[in-house]
Amino acid sequence: MKVLIINGSPKSKNSETLKLTKTFVSGMDVKAKEIDTINCDIRPCLGCYKCWKKESRKCCVNDDMHKILRKMKDSDVIIWSTPLFCYSVPSTMKALLDRMTSLLAPEIVELSDGSKSYPAIDAFNAKHVLISGSPLPEADNCFDAIKFQFKHMFGEDIEMILCSENKLFNITGAQTVANEYLKTIEKAGKEFVEFGHILRETHEKLAEPMLPTDIYIESVNSNVTPNSDTDN
Ligand SMILES: Cc1cc2nc3c(=O)[nH]c(=O)nc-3n(C[C@H](O)[C@H](O)[C@H](O)COP(=O)(O)O)c2cc1C
């Protein structure tokens, strides 16, 4: 099984979200390739639609996106690993999503769910997984925009692990609950390979807050220490 992680965190390998993703992948028991969008040359879509007029569909912007699309097409599973930025994804991952416009057809059609849109003509065979993190407690509504975006781009059957309270992974004293959550993510990865999807009870467990809101806020706020202005 060819698995590709697309990591949108500007923190690259130090991303907290990537830790969750790596745990999911270890549950899948596979080796995954990784693209860190911050380290790639992905320039913005120019909105020129020249790609739609060419038989090759090739975008006129010459950068890493061509190689990235080839890797995506060659994958069985694509895992979108991203922190929540302004209710969506960081700008380098957004640039990548915009540049996927070259894969759409220019004629508007009615899709299977009744909505009208540009259909994907060069869709990947890959299954998609979205793993995202937010430091806010009970942040379910914070994920509304990203859920909408990814379901519309990659279909209703995309698997999603949306982790609120993600500051807990860095708080000494919260290790027991954090480790419990990671174990559940690992189980989700195993189920994804075994059944082709994450089981409902595992999703429900992942959606539960790791700590009651007031205790979470107290733990996070008591760990905030301001740096001096001379620090980078
Ligand atoms: C520019 C910026 C925008 C952010 N926007 C949101 C947001 O809309 N909602 C939210 O819950 N957290 C937001 N955050 C917090 C990030 O989600 C948090 O830092 C992230 O989970 C860290 O993950 P990472 O280590 O994988 O990069 C934002 C952070 C930054 C730097």
Side-chain angles (χ1 to χ4, degrees):
M1 185 184 280
K2 291 182 193 164
V3 179
L4 179 66
I5 298 169
I6 302 185
N7 171 23
S9 172
K11 285 153 70 183
S12 187
K13 308 283 177 231
N14 295 322
S15 158
E16 295 301 325
T17 318
L18 189 63
K19 274 189 210 157
L20 307 183
T21 302
K22 293 262 166 97
T23 307
F24 184 80
V25 170
S26 85
M28 291 175 80
D29 198 19
V30 289
K31 276 213 167 79
K33 287 192 178 153
E34 185 183 322
I35 291 171
D36 292 355
T37 56
I38 191 77
N39 298 327
C40 297
D41 177 20
I42 308 172
R43 282 174 247 157
C45 172
L46 300 175
C48 64
Y49 295 102
K50 283 183 186 156
C51 53
W52 283 13
K53 292 170 196 131
K54 290 185 202 163
E55 212 172 312
S56 67
R57 293 299 173 134
K58 204 168 175 223
C59 174
C60 60
V61 180
N62 201 7
D63 59 8
D64 288 346
M65 198 55 205
H66 300 279
K67 167 170 94 189
I68 292 172
L69 281 178
R70 276 199 300 277
K71 282 191 185 165
M72 289 170 76
K73 284 180 188 170
D74 190 38
S75 302
D76 302 309
V77 178
I78 297 176
I79 307 179
W80 300 89
S81 179
T82 177
L84 197 62
F85 267 28
C86 299
Y87 306 97
S88 179
V89 298
S91 53
T92 52
M93 184 179 265
K94 177 63 167 55
L96 189 158
L97 293 173
D98 289 348
R99 294 282 298 285
M100 288 174 67
T101 297
S102 63
L103 306 174
L104 302 177
E107 298 85 19
I108 298 172
V109 296
E110 185 165 332
L111 303 178
S112 53
D113 64 356
S115 63
K116 323 287 181 281
S117 192
Y118 299 107
I121 42 133
D122 199 2
F124 314 116
N125 293 320
K127 282 189 177 181
H128 294 268
V129 179
L130 168 67
I131 300 182
S132 186
S134 153
L136 298 177
E138 291 176 339
D140 200 40
N141 56 338
C142 289
F143 289 114
D144 281 358
I146 199 172
K147 270 195 225 168
F148 181 92
Q149 183 179 22
F150 276 77
K151 276 192 178 180
H152 278 263
M153 288 199 72
F154 302 112
E156 281 290 324
D157 60 347
I158 180 171
E159 285 289 356
M160 297 191 184
I161 296 178
L162 305 171
C163 172
S164 47
E165 297 187 352
N166 75 351
K167 284 266 176 203
L168 272 186
F169 296 104
N170 285 328
I171 296 177
T172 344
Q175 270 140 354
T176 313
V177 276
N179 285 342
E180 193 56 37
Y181 194 88
L182 290 175
K183 266 195 219 153
T184 313
I185 293 198
E186 197 170 8
K187 188 165 174 272
K190 196 165 182 274
E191 290 170 359
F192 183 73
V193 171
E194 200 174 332
F195 307 112
H197 62 96
I198 303 169
L199 298 182
R200 196 163 52 107
E201 53 268 32
T202 307
H203 267 305
E204 282 168 1
K205 207 163 170 206
L206 288 171
E208 278 167 20
M210 287 182 262
L211 282 183
T213 306
D214 50 341
I215 300 177
Y216 173 72
I217 294 177
E218 207 183 303
S219 327
V220 172
N221 290 353
S222 62
N223 273 271
V224 177
T225 20
N227 289 343
S228 82
D229 278 359
T230 53
D231 288 347
N232 282 324

